[in-house]
Amino acid sequence: MSSIPVKQKAFVVPKTGGREVLEFEVTPVPEVSTTQILVKNEYAGLNFIDSYFRSGLYPASTPYVAGGEAAGTVVAVGSSVTKFKVGDRVAWLGSGAFAEYSAVDEGGSVSVIPEEIDFKTAAASLLQGLTALSLVKDAYEVKPGDWILVQAAAGGMGLLLCQLIKNIGAHAIGTVSTSEKAALAKSAGAEYVINYTEDDYVKNVLELTDGLGVHAAFDGVGKATFEGSFSLVRRKGSMITFGNASGAVPPFNVARLSQKNIKLLRPTRGNYMATPEEWDFYTSELWKAIADGSLKITVYKVYPLEDYRSAAEALETRLSTGKVVLKC
């Protein structure tokens, strides 16, 4: 294995703002503490949450190296590390992913990648795959025959949710903005797909469900779709809002839940995987589903690390379908 350099290339967020604040810099390769591993990243995955931190929607101390998801090879381990060794292929969640090297806590969100899964697939699947699994298993346990609304069904999360919902035996209704995205969502398992630029999706969903609405709505779009999704949840159903792609959901009067005894949840992946046992369960489920072909990972495009701004634009302007990935 080649020696570890002193310097590396990385994308830094020097201050809060739009994509224009991003800087591609030469930075020190991080030194590992006694409880960390150093990973030479091969691929990194983009997620909307990257823009939430960059914009200041979520608090973060600047400057920092951007990115929260990557896959690569362990090239060094701290003196107290016991779970990983040099040469292990790992995928991880944390901070500082849009760089050639990252220091990752041994006790954090890191998993050995099975041999049959490549680095690109691992980096493209870890955060969204775990999130999607936790949504259909924990946030609302999807059951055979359920009617489920998936907003932005052709995005990375939407495509995973449609597959999982179909595999369970429930009915997935997906919303999209173009005919191309409609075809992609349909191929992923959405039983019904509605192009909201051409049709009234609220009206169509009610027609499909005989006026009852859906058992659960999975909405990662946020501000632009929350009211539509909420209106479609049936009596005793669940409204799951898990993202802010269009902006944060405005303050909500909880008394509105009593109209149909609706459950409202704003979950985060981390709180479903807070213990080592929960992390191991969900990562095992994810790798198994990918390996046996029951969960297919769609990569929209792979950008070189230095083109992160273009990659972020493709994701944040909703141009992309599936996952946007960087080659580190």
Side-chain angles (χ1 to χ4, degrees):
M1 186 172 292
S2 58
S3 60
I4 300 168
V6 176
K7 298 289 187 180
Q8 64 168 347
K9 294 177 181 178
F11 257 102
V12 174
V13 180
K15 59 183 179 180
T16 58
R19 293 183 292 277
E20 72 280 355
V21 305
L22 294 165
E23 295 183 0
F24 192 46
E25 298 182 356
V26 174
T27 67
V29 171
E31 295 184 6
V32 296
S33 71
T34 58
T35 58
Q36 289 181 317
I37 61 175
L38 184 66
V39 180
K40 184 180 186 301
N41 298 318
E42 294 294 335
Y43 291 89
L46 272 67
N47 298 284
F48 272 106
I49 196 171
D50 304 329
S51 67
Y52 304 162
F53 284 115
R54 188 190 68 229
S55 69
L57 178 63
Y58 290 177
S61 298
T62 57
Y64 65 88
V65 176
E69 171 185 42
T73 304
V74 177
V75 293
V77 298
S79 58
S80 300
V81 171
T82 59
K83 293 170 63 177
F84 302 97
K85 64 183 185 303
V86 170
D88 280 348
R89 302 166 66 252
V90 296
W92 61 272
L93 304 175
S95 60
F98 299 161
E100 294 174 290
Y101 293 85
S102 301
V104 182
D105 291 331
E106 176 191 30
S109 300
V110 55
S111 176
V112 172
I113 306 167
E115 286 298 322
E116 59 269 30
I117 297 174
D118 59 55
F119 285 124
K120 182 173 71 174
T121 300
S125 64
L126 189 62
L127 180 60
Q128 291 184 336
L130 294 175
T131 302
L133 281 167
S134 70
L135 289 177
V136 303
K137 288 178 177 290
D138 260 324
Y140 172 78
E141 187 177 359
V142 178
K143 297 171 287 296
D146 279 352
W147 289 89
I148 308 294
L149 175 66
V150 179
Q151 295 280 17
M157 274 294 300
L159 293 174
L160 296 176
L161 284 169
C162 288
Q163 292 179 71
L164 293 171
I165 292 164
K166 180 183 179 181
N167 291 345
I168 291 168
H171 309 284
I173 306 173
T175 66
V176 297
S177 59
T178 68
S179 56
E180 293 78 13
K181 289 184 177 181
L184 193 58
K186 192 81 171 177
S187 68
E191 191 172 345
Y192 302 95
V193 181
I194 303 166
N195 184 336
Y196 60 79
T197 66
E198 299 175 352
D199 297 302
D200 182 341
Y201 76 86
V202 172
K203 178 183 176 183
N204 285 12
V205 171
L206 288 173
E207 289 175 351
L208 287 169
T209 59
D210 295 326
L212 295 174
V214 295
H215 293 85
F218 290 125
D219 190 330
V221 178
K223 182 179 180 180
T225 55
F226 178 86
E227 288 296 336
S229 295
F230 184 75
S231 72
L232 289 170
V233 178
R234 66 174 58 190
R235 185 179 66 88
K236 298 199 296 183
S238 294
M239 174 70 200
I240 314 297
T241 174
F242 64 89
N244 312 292
S246 66
V249 175
F252 178 83
N253 182 355
V254 295
R256 296 175 61 192
L257 300 173
S258 65
Q259 295 169 3
K260 292 184 283 186
N261 286 8
I262 290 173
K263 303 177 188 70
L264 172 63
L265 187 64
R266 178 49 172 96
T268 62
R269 175 210 57 81
N271 281 323
Y272 289 128
M273 297 159 216
T275 69
E277 293 77 18
E278 290 169 336
W279 171 257
D280 290 345
F281 168 77
Y282 271 108
T283 53
S284 175
E285 289 285 298
L286 176 63
W287 299 140
K288 178 184 175 183
I290 294 172
D292 68 19
S294 60
L295 191 64
K296 294 178 172 58
I297 307 303
T298 302
V299 173
Y300 167 70
K301 187 175 179 180
V302 177
Y303 293 80
L305 180 61
E306 58 266 28
D307 285 349
Y308 170 47
R309 290 188 194 90
S310 298
E313 181 179 12
L315 176 67
E316 294 167 23
T317 61
R318 308 282 295 276
L319 173 67
S320 61
T321 55
K323 185 75 172 188
V324 182
V325 174
L326 297 177
K327 178 68 177 77
C328 298

